[in-house]
Amino acid sequence: SKHLLGLKDLSAQEIKLILDTAGPMKEIIQRDIKKVPTLRGKLVVTLFYEPSTRTRTSFELAAKYMGADTVSIATSTSSVTKGESLRDTAQTLAAMGADAVIIRHSAAGSPVLLTRYIKASVINGGDGMHEHPTQALLDMFTIQEKLGRIEGLKVVILGDILHSRVARSNIWGLTKMGAEVRVAGPPTLIPKGIENLGVKVFYRVEEALRGADVINVLRIQRERQKKGLFPSLREYALLYQLTPERLRLAKPNALVLHPGPMNRGIEISPAVADGLQSAITEQVTNGVAVRMALLYLLIGGGN
Ligand code: CP
């Protein structure tokens, strides 16, 4: 496919190809080669209807590393505020010659809608509570890089599963790659029926952490939660925060991930976030490498 809409649609082989391509891309970043000409003459557009620090910036950097031109549309300062529809915005981008459009939107399914309006490759940068495939790909790349494999590992996804597109994409990706996925959090933040996706559900974080190889800590998404939701932030921190004491229940070399932005002191303690087992800043670098790989595979050589 020329689009990346979600990991539900990808095979294990396709995921492996992206992860394998990201390795050499990371070398380009680390050798500080500012530009390779792979995407010269291509136009990459980021179209973000929701805020972002990491995803938008890393797509722009990834495109620039490979010589593409980039345009970024923050809808709060665009004609979307005047009521322009997704269709008309898409046609405008097409007229400007976009080769790839990365879209983030609060509505699930908006990336697939965009594919109907534009010939460019469409990449999902996060759609509502549905999927955030590039985040899961960079999480898997980080796991593979640090622990040497994904297959057979026990991966805990901890926290606000209900509102998390990051959790859904990770579940699709990790289960396809042969990991044992555990989701843990308060019953109010774990959707009913999630075990049908092939994961184990834990309401007590201590049980989930026992023998874990990886803990992916999610942000508590207050902006998507209705008022008065249980538990309160204080209760959440008390019962579910990843603290050094709880982390000791996992394997000694267990890896700690967080997609960012973090609520320090809520879902993760600062000591864990900044600790030796944390790969949180490395995830950001890996995000650029994975997005370079994707742009290369979708709009580079021969396409
Ligand atoms: N992890 C992530 O998607 O971060 P941003 O919202 O800053 O892009």
Side-chain angles (χ1 to χ4, degrees):
S1 168
K2 65 174 195 172
H3 307 298
L4 177 71
L5 304 175
L7 295 194
K8 186 183 179 186
D9 313 319
L10 256 55
S11 66
Q13 243 171 346
E14 287 169 314
I15 292 171
K16 190 172 179 305
L17 175 65
I18 297 165
L19 301 184
D20 289 349
T21 309
M25 296 302 181
K26 186 162 180 183
E27 277 174 39
I28 293 176
I29 300 170
Q30 285 177 327
R31 291 195 346 246
D32 209 19
I33 306 167
K34 277 291 174 233
K35 270 191 181 178
V36 291
T38 323
L39 295 185
R40 197 154 55 197
K42 303 281 185 182
L43 178 61
V44 174
V45 179
T46 59
L47 174 63
F48 275 48
Y49 290 81
E50 282 190 335
S52 168
T53 299
R54 281 146 285 267
T55 310
R56 187 175 60 76
T57 318
S58 58
F59 264 113
E60 279 174 36
L61 266 177
K64 285 187 209 295
Y65 265 118
M66 294 188 292
D69 295 311
T70 60
V71 171
S72 109
I73 300 172
T75 55
S76 57
T77 56
S78 76
S79 286
V80 170
T81 59
K82 301 172 196 164
E84 187 163 55
S85 69
L86 181 61
R87 181 181 191 150
D88 287 336
T89 302
Q91 277 165 357
T92 305
L93 300 180
M96 289 174 185
D99 295 287
V101 180
I102 297 100
I103 180 173
R104 169 172 288 191
H105 201 291
S106 60
S110 40
V112 69
L113 195 63
L114 186 58
T115 63
R116 294 201 212 146
Y117 300 145
I118 197 165
K119 280 210 215 68
S121 282
V122 173
I123 301 175
N124 183 357
D127 62 331
M129 304 188 316
H130 178 229
E131 283 224 39
H132 189 351
T134 61
Q135 180 67 47
L137 288 166
L138 80 88
D139 293 345
M140 288 192 282
F141 180 83
T142 307
I143 294 170
Q144 187 158 288
E145 185 181 56
K146 293 280 181 188
L147 301 180
R149 67 193 167 106
I150 297 172
E151 195 174 355
L153 296 185
K154 295 179 173 62
V155 181
V156 179
I157 305 176
L158 171 60
D160 184 354
I161 312 290
L162 180 66
H163 300 98
S164 179
R165 53 199 181 199
V166 175
R168 275 172 197 75
S169 287
N170 262 284
I171 290 169
W172 286 118
L174 288 164
T175 52
K176 281 173 205 261
M177 298 301 281
E180 179 193 313
V181 182
R182 304 170 172 181
V183 300
T188 48
L189 294 179
I190 296 188
K192 299 281 166 285
I194 191 104
E195 54 277 3
N196 295 334
L197 299 183
V199 303
K200 290 185 189 164
V201 176
F202 293 83
Y203 298 126
R204 279 179 52 85
V205 60
E206 290 79 7
E207 283 171 25
L209 289 174
R210 239 162 242 134
D213 296 284
V214 180
I215 305 111
N216 198 344
V217 187
L218 301 176
R219 181 172 68 85
I220 293 294
Q221 301 195 32
R222 299 301 282 180
E223 78 277 20
R224 296 190 209 277
Q225 295 181 6
K226 297 184 183 59
K227 273 199 196 117
L229 198 78
F230 179 85
S232 69
L233 287 184
R234 266 174 59 143
E235 287 168 312
Y236 186 84
L238 200 64
L239 293 170
Y240 293 98
Q241 181 183 104
L242 188 61
T243 58
E245 296 72 35
R246 291 197 174 113
L247 182 56
R248 278 197 280 276
L249 298 169
K251 287 209 182 131
N253 64 340
L255 194 63
V256 176
L257 305 177
H258 190 304
M262 284 187 277
N263 299 304
R264 281 171 181 266
I266 307 291
E267 69 262 5
I268 190 165
S269 77
V272 172
D274 303 327
L276 290 173
Q277 286 167 259
S278 165
I280 296 170
T281 44
E282 188 121 16
Q283 279 175 275
V284 178
T285 315
N286 290 344
V288 180
V290 162
R291 287 164 180 132
M292 286 171 77
L294 263 177
L295 289 172
Y296 169 73
L297 291 168
L298 292 177
I299 63 168
N303 286 295

